[in-house]
Structure formats: structure tokens, C-alpha cells
Amino acid sequence: ASKAALCTSGTAVMELMLAKLPCVVAYQAHFLTECFIHLRKKINFISLPNILLDSPIVPEILFRACTDKNLAAKLSEVIFNDEVRQLQVGSAERMLQVLYEPIKRQGNLFAEELGDSGLSSDVYSPSTIAALTVLYTDKHRRMVHRN
């Protein structure tokens, strides 16, 4: 019944993408945490769909920018701008393809990424698949850039 949603990064944004419900990711943190994240960041996005697609498909309003005014403006854009809505809805299928690419390529799901972790490759929870896909994608992007 909703036209859009406001969520934090994590499983919720993945569920909204799969439900094809456009959303905005909001995340606030203490100033010191924000500084630490900016110093240590290796990726450009915080939400899994954006990380997996390496593109700002889902708007992210983060840290000090996470104000009521900015959230209202971005949510209004997502609700009333059909082009913005369609970009997210249309990206859901592409995100699924990226998410399951490692499964199609490898007979033994994520064996290399699981390594010595002690986790079974039979563990297929959505968050585990997403996390391992991020690791798989990052590793293969770095290999392509080296060659």
C-alpha cells in the first residue's frame, strides 16, 4: 500500500528492493564514528543494493546530512518522481542477478570466500548470501582491475 519507504541499511533495504518498493536509506551515527568510517571506508556506499550494483540506485542520507529536511526532500522525490521510482524498481532484477552470479559460477557456493571460517556452505540466509556476494564481487573487481 506504500509508495515508498524509509529504512536503515541492512536486510530491510534488500527486502524493499525485492518487493520493488522504492526507498531511502537513512543512517545517523556519532560524529567520531562518522569520522572513523570516512577514514576507513573502502566502498562508496552503505546500502547493499548500491554496493552490489556499484551505483547509487537507492538514495542514502547519511550522518550529519541525515536531517528531517533532507529526508523529507529525498522521500518526496522518491514518491513523486516516476523516473527515480522506476530506476529502483527496474534495478531489483539486476540486483538479483548480481546476488546469484557466484552461485551460478561455482558449484561449491562461496567455498573460497568461506575459507577457514567454519561456516557451512549450506547456510543460505539472505544476509549471508549478500555478505558473501559483496566479498566475491569485490574480489573479482580487484582481479579485473589488476589485469
Side-chain angles (χ1 to χ4, degrees):
S2 299
K3 288 189 92 176
L6 176 64
C7 65
T8 58
S9 183
T11 307
V13 70
M14 294 292 286
E15 291 171 357
L16 291 167
M17 282 289 290
L18 296 175
K20 298 185 179 180
L21 180 64
C23 63
V24 173
V25 170
Y27 191 80
Q28 253 184 348
H30 188 275
F31 175 73
L32 292 176
T33 304
E34 179 183 354
C35 290
F36 180 75
I37 289 170
H38 284 298
L39 286 172
R40 303 286 297 173
K41 80 175 186 176
K42 295 182 181 188
I43 53 177
N44 296 320
F45 309 106
I46 194 168
S47 66
L48 286 172
N50 291 349
I51 293 168
L52 292 172
L53 297 174
D54 196 26
S55 181
I57 302 299
V58 177
E60 299 177 347
I61 308 297
L62 308 174
F63 308 121
R64 286 176 282 166
C66 191
T67 64
D68 54 351
K69 182 179 175 183
N70 290 342
L71 290 173
K74 193 52 76 174
L75 274 170
S76 292
E77 181 182 355
V78 169
I79 291 169
F80 298 112
N81 185 327
D82 286 336
E83 198 173 298
V84 171
R85 295 175 56 73
Q86 280 309 114
L87 177 64
Q88 282 193 47
V89 170
S91 297
E93 185 62 35
R94 202 163 40 110
M95 187 192 65
L96 273 175
Q97 290 172 354
V98 169
L99 195 59
Y100 287 102
E101 182 63 27
I103 295 170
K104 290 189 295 188
R105 286 189 176 193
Q106 294 178 214
N108 192 0
L109 178 63
F110 299 116
E112 202 173 319
E113 284 74 16
L114 287 170
D116 301 341
S117 69
L119 290 174
S120 166
S121 62
D122 297 342
V123 180
Y124 298 135
S125 72
S127 54
T128 301
I129 291 172
L132 291 170
T133 301
V134 168
L135 292 173
Y136 173 88
T137 303
D138 179 60
K139 177 180 172 184
H140 289 274
R141 278 186 191 141
R142 282 186 281 147
M143 289 173 65
V144 167
H145 290 301
R146 283 187 205 147
N147 296 332

